[in-house]
Amino acid sequence: MTIEDVAVHAGVSVATVSRALRGLPNVADSTRRRVHDAAERLTYRPDPAAARLAAGTTGTVSVVVPALDGWYFSNVVAGAEAVAADEGLEFQVIGVASPADRDRLLAGARRLERRTDGVVLVDLAIGAEQVASLVARGIAIATVGTRIDGHPWVGIDDRLVGRLAADHLVGLGHRHVGMIGGSSPDPMSGEVPRARRAGFESALAEHGLALDAADVADGVFTMEGGREAMERLLTSSDRPTAIFSMSDEMAFGALMACRDHGLEPGSDVSLIGVDDHEFSQVVDLTTVGQDVAEHGARAARALIDAMSRTTSGGDRARSASPAPDEAPEERFVGDVGLVLRSTTGPPRPGSADR
Amino acid sequence: MTIEDVAVHAGVSVATVSRALRGLPNVADSTRRRVHDAAERLTYRPDPAAARLAAGTTGTVSVVVPALDGWYFSNVVAGAEAVAADEGLEFQVIGVASPADRDRLLAGARRLERRTDGVVLVDLAIGAEQVASLVARGIAIATVGTRIDGHPWVGIDDRLVGRLAADHLVGLGHRHVGMIGGSSPDPMSGEVPRARRAGFESALAEHGLALDAADVADGVFTMEGGREAMERLLTSSDRPTAIFSMSDEMAFGALMACRDHGLEPGSDVSLIGVDDHEFSQVVDLTTVGQDVAEHGARAARALIDAMSRTTSGGDRARSASPAPDEAPEERFVGDVGLVLRSTTGPPRPGSADR
DNA sequence: CTGTTAGCGCATTCAG
DNA sequence: CTGAATGCGCTAACAG
C-alpha cells in the first residue's frame, strides 16, 4: 500500500497524490477529492520513515526534563504530548538526570541528532554555545521554567508564588515561618526556587518579618527530600509555627515527618505547598496551585510555531494562523492561586511568637 | 555526515560500515575498529529514518493503555520505556480511552500502521481477529493483565490479591466486610477485577463469611470513583466494618469519603487497597503491594524477544541470549505482598457483628 | 571477509 | 494545475 497504488487508483501521478494529501496548493479541487477517495478506499497511510527521509525533517518534537517521574514534569510532558498528537507529530521525552547527561545530550547524542525538529527544555539551564549548537543543527527551542533569551518561554510568576504563601501564613497570624525548598545539586535548582524564595522573603519583609537561615531546610524536590528537610526543621529547638514547602510532593514528605512527630498539620504546625497536586485534596493540603499541563501545552505550541516558521514560512497544512505576519507570543505566564485547605491555620495560642 | 563519509574516512565500503557499526558478523576485527574510529571522529549518527526505510522495520515498540494517567498505567509504561531505551528502540505510548478507540486503533489506524514493530497491550481485551490482524501485519504482541493465548503475558495472581486482603481483614476480627472495585463500563474491567473479587470471596467463604451484594460498590478505578463508591457504602444503614478497595487510588478517594463522614480509618472503619502507590505511605494506607514497573519491563523484554525471533532469527546485536534455542519465558507472574500500615485495625468493640 | 548494486516510499525540483 | 525524474541515507541480497 504505497503512494503509487493511490496514484494509480486515482489516475494521477504520485506527485499529485503527495500534494493533494498534504493539503498543498496547486491541486484542482476535483483532483484532490479523487485522491482522497482513493486513499480512503485503500486505507493508505504514508510511511513516516519515507516521508522523513525525503523531506529531511523528522516530524517529531522532544521534551527534555530533569526527571521522568515527579508530578511537575509528568504534567508538563502530558500537556506537550497532547498538542503534539493534535498536530500529528511524533513525540519523544528525554530524561536527563545529571548535568553530565544534559551536556552529553546537547552535544549531539543519538537521542536528538537527526531525530527531532524541536525541543522543549523544562527547567534546564544550558549554555549559550549549546543553544547555538541546537540552532545550528536546525532544532527549534522552547523553554518551561528556566528561560533562554530569544526563545519562547512559558512559566509562572514564581515570586508571586512565594508572596502568596507568605501573605497567607502571615495573615493567619504566624510570625515565625520556615521554608523547605530546592538545594543546589538538585536538577530543578536555578531560577525557580530562588524566585519563590525571593518572593516569600520580600513579602515577609513587608510584614516586618525575616526568614531565619535556621528555618530554611533545603532538599531535593521529592517526597523523601521534603521529609528529610521537615525532619530537620521539626527537631530544631525553636521551630517555626508555619512552613512553606516549595512543592506539594515535598509537602507530602513533610506531612509524614509531622506524623512521625505526632504533630497535627493545621493546628500544631501549618504547612503550605505549591502545585495543587491531585493528591493534595486527599491529605487536604493548602497550596498555591498552578496549571502545569497548560504550561507544557503552551510551550509545545510555541515550539511548533517556531518550527514551521523556520521551515521556510510554514507550509504545515491546517495551521490556521489568522495572520501569518503576526508576531508570535514569545512569553506565557500561567496563573497561580491560593487553594485553601486544612493544613494551614492560626498558630496555637501557646506557641512561641517572635 | 552520512555513512558514505565514514566509509571514505575508514577506507572501506558503505556496506562494511553498516555491518561494522551494527555489530554484524563477517567483519574483521581490525576493520571494525577502523570503522568505529572513523565514525567516532566524525560523530556520525545513522539516520533512523533511512535505516527504517531500508530495513523495512520501524525500530519502535508501542504500549497501548486504556488511560494515560493513573498510577498503574504510568508505572507499566515507565517500566517498558526503560527497557526500550536500554535496547535503543523508539518508544510510543498510545492511550485508548474507549472500546471504540481500541477497535479503531487495532483496525490499523495511523498510530500503528507502519509505525511499530510490536505492542504491549495493557489490560486490553481484544478479539481473535484483531490479534490475527496484528500478527498478519508483522506486529509482535505481549500483554500485561488481560492475557492473549499464544503471546507472552505478564501479570500477578489476582485471586491471591483478593485472598490476602480478605485474610488480613478477617484476621483482624472483621466479620462484615465490603468491597469497592471495577464496574463494567470501566476500561480496566475484565479479568482483573473479577479475579480479585473471586479470590476475596473464596477466602471469605473459607472463614464462613459471605460478601453481601449490598456491601459491594462498583466504580471506576480513580480517586473520584473510589470516593463515590465509598460514599455509597458509608451511607448504608448497616455498613461494613472493613473495606477492600481494588486499587490504592480508589482507596484515596475512599479516605476522603471517610473524612467527609468524620470517620477515622483504622479505628472507625478499616480500609485496605492494592498497589502500594507511593502516596500510600503518606496516608499510611494498608495495601497489597505489587511491582508494576517490573511488569512493564518484563512485558517489553518479552516483546522484544518475540520481535527478534520474528525477524528471521534475531540478528539484533548484543542480544546476548546464552542459548538461542531455549524456549522463551512466555509467562511472568509478579510478586504481591501485604503491606501493613495504619488504615486497618480490629473492629470497634461496639460495631455490629454478624 | 568485503564491495557492488538495487531499491525502501516519499518529497521535490523542473518541465510541461 | 500536473507529471517525470532525481535523490534522501541506509540495508540487503548478491557477487567476488
Side-chain angles (χ1 to χ4, degrees):
Chain A
M1 213 44 19
T2 76
I3 197 175
E4 178 110 32
D5 297 310
V6 180
V8 172
H9 278 252
V12 296
S13 72
V14 295
T16 300
V17 174
S18 178
R19 283 189 285 251
L21 257 27
R22 286 182 304 149
L24 296 187
N26 292 335
V27 179
D29 276 0
S30 63
T31 307
R32 194 184 297 275
R33 236 189 317 279
R34 209 141 33 84
V35 171
H36 271 112
D37 287 354
E40 186 95 10
R41 209 147 16 80
L42 302 177
T43 66
Y44 164 74
R45 314 278 173 213
D47 182 327
R52 281 164 212 188
L53 186 54
T57 163
T58 66
T60 107
V61 303
S62 308
V63 19
V64 186
V65 292
L68 294 160
D69 51 356
W71 178 84
Y72 180 78
F73 299 124
S74 306
N75 278 78
V76 172
V77 167
E81 126 111 306
V83 343
D86 199 75
E87 293 282 340
L89 294 171
E90 221 77 4
F91 186 76
Q92 178 186 214
V93 354
I94 301 176
V96 290
S98 66
D101 270 6
R102 183 201 57 197
D103 293 341
R104 209 172 310 125
L105 177 74
L106 269 19
R110 17 174 222 303
R111 315 270 313 254
L112 247 34
E113 196 68 37
R114 297 164 163 295
R115 296 181 109 92
T116 197
D117 294 338
V119 290
V120 174
L121 266 21
V122 185
D123 274 341
L124 247 26
I126 72 174
E129 342 64 68
Q130 294 181 316
V131 173
S133 155
L134 286 176
V135 171
R137 284 186 270 162
I139 297 177
I141 303 176
T143 62
V144 176
T146 300
R147 70 188 70 187
I148 296 178
D149 282 336
H151 296 272
W153 168 82
V154 172
I156 55 176
D157 182 344
D158 283 296
R159 291 184 59 100
L160 176 58
V161 168
R163 176 169 297 275
L164 287 172
D167 285 345
H168 173 60
L169 296 179
V170 174
L172 284 169
H174 293 277
R175 308 285 299 164
H176 183 187
V177 300
M179 188 183 88
I180 60 189
S183 60
S184 303
D186 191 277
M188 194 183 172
S189 77
E191 303 171 17
V192 173
R194 257 198 303 281
R196 289 184 187 172
R197 177 172 183 164
F200 188 66
E201 289 199 274
S202 72
L204 286 181
E206 287 168 19
H207 293 283
L209 300 174
L211 184 63
D212 196 293
D215 296 327
V216 176
D218 280 350
V220 290
F221 274 75
T222 62
M223 267 178 32
E224 203 41 54
R227 181 179 200 156
E228 289 165 7
M230 188 67 163
E231 182 65 35
R232 268 174 279 143
L233 247 36
L234 292 181
T235 51
S236 140
S237 55
D238 177 33
R239 67 171 174 235
T241 62
I243 284 146
F244 169 41
S245 165
M246 283 203 188
S247 85
D248 279 3
E249 273 170 308
M250 293 191 83
F252 300 151
L255 289 175
M256 295 173 67
C258 287
R259 191 177 58 223
D260 291 343
H261 285 257
L263 296 173
E264 183 66 24
S267 51
D268 295 327
V269 60
S270 282
L271 181 67
I272 180 171
V274 177
D275 281 344
D276 199 17
H277 192 295
E278 39 270 40
F279 187 68
S280 297
Q281 57 179 315
V282 176
V283 289
D284 221 25
L285 176 74
T286 295
T287 190
V288 179
Q290 59 172 331
D291 186 350
V292 176
E294 181 185 27
H295 300 179
R298 293 273 184 173
R301 188 72 67 192
L303 180 69
I304 291 167
D305 287 351
M307 280 163 42
S308 59
R309 223 172 310 123
T310 303
T311 314
S312 59
D315 43 355
R316 286 187 59 74
R318 284 179 286 302
S319 279
S321 318
D325 302 298
E326 210 169 314
E329 205 174 319
E330 292 291 6
R331 258 167 172 56
F332 173 78
V333 181
D335 285 336
V336 298
L338 193 63
V339 180
L340 286 172
R341 285 197 275 248
S342 75
T343 57
T344 50
R348 298 194 77 105
S351 67
D353 255 3
R354 283 197 167 171
Chain B
M1 212 46 16
T2 77
I3 196 174
E4 178 110 31
D5 298 312
V6 181
V8 172
H9 278 250
V12 295
S13 72
V14 294
T16 300
V17 173
S18 178
R19 283 188 287 250
L21 257 27
R22 286 183 302 152
L24 296 187
N26 293 333
V27 179
D29 276 359
S30 63
T31 307
R32 197 184 296 275
R33 235 188 316 281
R34 208 140 34 82
V35 171
H36 271 112
D37 286 352
E40 187 95 10
R41 207 140 24 76
L42 303 176
T43 66
Y44 164 74
R45 313 285 172 205
D47 182 327
R52 279 164 214 189
L53 186 55
T57 158
T58 67
T60 109
V61 304
S62 308
V63 19
V64 187
V65 292
L68 294 162
D69 50 356
W71 179 86
Y72 180 79
F73 299 123
S74 307
N75 277 81
V76 172
V77 167
E81 126 109 310
V83 344
D86 200 74
E87 294 282 339
L89 294 170
E90 220 77 5
F91 186 77
Q92 178 186 213
V93 353
I94 301 176
V96 291
S98 67
D101 269 6
R102 182 201 57 198
D103 293 342
R104 207 171 311 126
L105 177 75
L106 269 21
R110 10 173 228 303
R111 315 273 311 257
L112 248 35
E113 196 69 39
R114 299 164 161 293
R115 295 181 109 91
T116 196
D117 294 337
V119 291
V120 174
L121 266 21
V122 185
D123 275 341
L124 246 27
I126 72 173
E129 342 64 69
Q130 293 181 316
V131 174
S133 155
L134 286 176
V135 172
R137 284 186 270 160
I139 297 176
I141 303 175
T143 62
V144 176
T146 301
R147 70 187 72 186
I148 296 178
D149 284 335
H151 296 273
W153 168 83
V154 172
I156 55 175
D157 183 345
D158 282 296
R159 291 184 59 100
L160 175 59
V161 169
R163 176 168 298 276
L164 288 173
D167 286 345
H168 173 60
L169 296 178
V170 175
L172 285 169
H174 293 278
R175 309 285 300 165
H176 182 185
V177 299
M179 190 183 88
I180 61 188
S183 60
S184 303
D186 190 278
M188 195 186 171
S189 77
E191 300 172 17
V192 172
R194 259 199 301 283
R196 289 183 187 173
R197 177 173 183 161
F200 188 65
E201 289 199 272
S202 72
L204 287 182
E206 287 168 19
H207 293 285
L209 300 174
L211 183 63
D212 196 291
D215 297 327
V216 177
D218 280 350
V220 290
F221 274 76
T222 62
M223 266 176 35
E224 203 41 52
R227 181 179 199 158
E228 289 165 7
M230 188 67 164
E231 182 65 36
R232 270 175 277 144
L233 246 38
L234 291 182
T235 51
S236 140
S237 56
D238 177 33
R239 67 170 174 236
T241 62
I243 285 147
F244 170 41
S245 166
M246 282 200 187
S247 85
D248 279 2
E249 272 171 309
M250 293 192 81
F252 298 153
L255 288 175
M256 294 172 70
C258 287
R259 190 176 59 221
D260 292 343
H261 285 256
L263 296 172
E264 183 66 26
S267 51
D268 296 328
V269 59
S270 282
L271 180 67
I272 180 171
V274 178
D275 281 342
D276 199 17
H277 192 295
E278 40 268 43
F279 294 149
S280 296
Q281 58 180 315
V282 176
V283 290
D284 220 25
L285 175 73
T286 296
T287 190
V288 180
Q290 60 172 330
D291 186 351
V292 176
E294 181 185 26
H295 300 178
R298 292 273 185 174
R301 188 72 66 192
L303 181 70
I304 291 167
D305 287 350
M307 281 163 40
S308 58
R309 226 172 306 123
T310 303
T311 313
S312 62
D315 43 356
R316 287 186 58 74
R318 283 179 287 302
S319 279
S321 317
D325 303 298
E326 209 170 313
E329 205 175 318
E330 291 291 6
R331 257 168 173 56
F332 173 78
V333 180
D335 285 336
V336 298
L338 193 62
V339 181
L340 285 172
R341 286 198 274 249
S342 75
T343 57
T344 50
R348 298 194 77 103
S351 66
D353 256 4
R354 283 196 163 167

